[in-house]
Amino acid sequence: MNAASASGVIRTVLGDIAPERMGVCYAHEHLIIDASFTTYVSPDFLLDDVGKCVAELRQAHAAGVRTMVDSMPMACGRNVAKLADASRQSGMQILCPTGLHLAKYYPPGHWCTRLDVQALAKLFIREITEGIDANDGNGPQWRATTHRAGLIKVAGGLDHLDEHQRRIFEAAALAHRATGAPILTHTEQGTAALEQVNLLRSLGVDLRHVVLSHLDRKPDAMYHRDVLQSGVCIEYDSTFRWKSPDDNPTLNLLVELLPQFPGQIVMGMDAARRSYWTSYGGSPGLTFLQTTWAARLRSAGIDETLLRRVFVQTPAEVYTFIPPKEALA
């Protein structure tokens, strides 16, 4: 299938689906993180057991979840074969990204710090159109799998984008324009979102197919409103991280902003630690959003129409491929 023919579909690791098949979606997760420099630095990030992943996904599926967007990009623990296996066994539809994370998740001198914008964009496009590398970009050679990337993941730093991050954003924009793939970004503690938006807009990216993650870690409603007025989608995932049982900034943001921007907010858990998964002996587990949290949203006055917007309709819209604008020169 060529890039153009992907328009109007959502691309999972097991193939393309129509947006109406997406169902309840967690918009930012980490389902498999293999042994890598990432897990060497932070051992709690190691999520390498397919059996435990399947057990957790089956629980979430039983709670009504149908799709999860994995957000581990190239060369930092991604394993698309394991994701595909987990999808088959659990029935959960899974999207897997291409792209690159923050430099801290790679060893010093990694190839991602040396390639230019065009070379990076070609790698991203290859994973979207041909198949994700079986070796996760770690060499010694590239071997495309049958599983293609369904989005492009990039990351910005605390308070600003450095030169390396801007180069990766530029490559993501080229790949987006060439393939129509949606873009998911990491914001460090919710910061520099407006800088990300302005850069992507200047690079010709359709902001209606961009998700900025972790904004609720900077719980300033005025700041969020400024970001949302650009037309971009934002993702909240700190629901279970706040310590006070009575004051939950994520809940406060949703109550204030969701009625005003119903089609621009999605949710996930970003549960990238063993200590968050019941199958690894942690909590609250991946059922949390559709059980405990959904009940709390209803108690706060968020109706079923808005809940469906957050968990079903908006993810299906933002993660759909659009017609490509141009081929990479």
Side-chain angles (χ1 to χ4, degrees):
M1 180 184 293
N2 58 36
S5 63
S7 175
V9 304
I10 291 166
R11 177 156 292 165
T12 79
V13 293
L14 298 184
D16 294 351
I17 62 171
E20 54 267 27
R21 284 185 52 198
M22 194 174 206
V24 171
C25 174
Y26 284 15
H28 185 123
E29 296 308 326
H30 292 276
L31 303 178
I32 291 289
I33 306 178
D34 261 355
S36 56
F37 185 76
T38 300
T39 62
Y40 172 77
V41 174
S42 301
D44 197 30
F45 286 167
L46 183 65
L47 298 171
D48 60 341
D49 190 313
V50 172
K52 287 182 170 61
C53 182
V54 169
E56 197 85 18
L57 291 178
R58 283 176 174 166
Q59 291 177 24
H61 194 277
V65 186
R66 292 296 177 265
T67 303
M68 292 197 180
V69 180
D70 191 86
S71 56
M72 210 63 181
M74 299 175 71
C76 55
R78 182 187 60 169
N79 187 319
V80 72
K82 286 186 175 181
L83 287 175
D85 195 14
S87 179
R88 290 189 195 95
Q89 292 188 50
S90 67
M92 189 70 69
Q93 300 170 140
I94 299 173
L95 282 65
C96 180
T98 187
L100 290 163
H101 216 314
L102 295 172
K104 67 182 181 180
Y105 293 114
Y106 303 95
H110 190 265
W111 58 260
C112 71
T113 64
R114 301 192 301 273
L115 296 186
D116 64 21
V117 171
Q118 290 275 327
L120 291 171
K122 287 178 181 177
L123 288 179
F124 301 166
I125 292 168
R126 187 175 186 179
E127 291 207 315
I128 295 164
T129 60
E130 297 178 25
I132 292 172
D133 178 33
N135 295 316
D136 192 27
N138 292 314
Q141 59 186 353
W142 189 280
R143 183 164 57 89
T145 65
T146 59
H147 314 294
R148 292 181 294 171
L151 63 149
I152 307 161
K153 166 72 178 293
V154 291
L158 186 67
D159 296 326
H160 74 284
L161 303 182
D162 63 24
E163 181 181 350
H164 170 64
Q165 292 156 9
R166 292 180 75 88
R167 187 165 69 251
I168 293 171
F169 270 68
E170 289 176 26
L174 284 176
H176 164 82
R177 297 205 310 264
T179 66
I183 295 175
L184 173 67
T185 84
H186 165 99
T187 65
E188 191 75 352
Q189 298 303 313
T191 66
L194 288 168
E195 183 179 357
Q196 291 189 16
V197 166
N198 291 334
L199 177 59
L200 291 171
R201 182 195 287 118
S202 73
L203 295 168
V205 171
D206 186 336
L207 296 182
R208 295 170 299 178
H209 295 270
V210 174
V211 179
L212 273 59
S213 300
H214 320 313
L215 265 290
D216 53 334
R217 299 184 196 185
K218 183 179 172 66
D220 178 339
M222 184 175 295
Y223 167 65
H224 290 211
R225 189 173 285 107
D226 288 343
V227 175
L228 287 162
Q229 285 171 349
S230 71
V232 79
C233 186
I234 64 176
E235 185 264 346
Y236 292 162
D237 49 41
S238 294
T239 55
F240 64 98
R241 292 177 169 86
W242 303 114
K243 302 304 181 185
S244 170
D246 301 315
D247 181 28
N248 190 300
T250 303
L251 180 64
N252 299 337
L253 288 166
L254 287 165
V255 169
E256 179 172 352
L257 297 174
L258 189 55
Q260 301 171 45
F261 302 95
Q264 291 176 248
I265 301 174
V266 294
M267 297 199 69
M269 291 184 65
D270 186 30
R273 296 181 179 273
R274 288 181 168 222
S275 53
Y276 295 152
W277 288 51
T278 56
S279 60
Y280 284 100
S283 67
L286 292 184
T287 61
F288 174 82
L289 280 187
Q290 281 301 293
T291 54
T292 305
W293 183 250
R296 190 164 184 186
L297 291 177
R298 292 183 180 98
S299 296
I302 294 177
D303 63 26
E304 295 301 320
T305 299
L306 288 177
L307 283 176
R308 181 170 176 78
R309 253 295 175 192
V310 169
F311 287 112
V312 180
Q313 292 172 304
T314 302
E317 291 168 2
V318 74
Y319 284 120
T320 294
F321 275 65
I322 59 175
K325 294 182 178 180
E326 60 195 46
L328 185 64

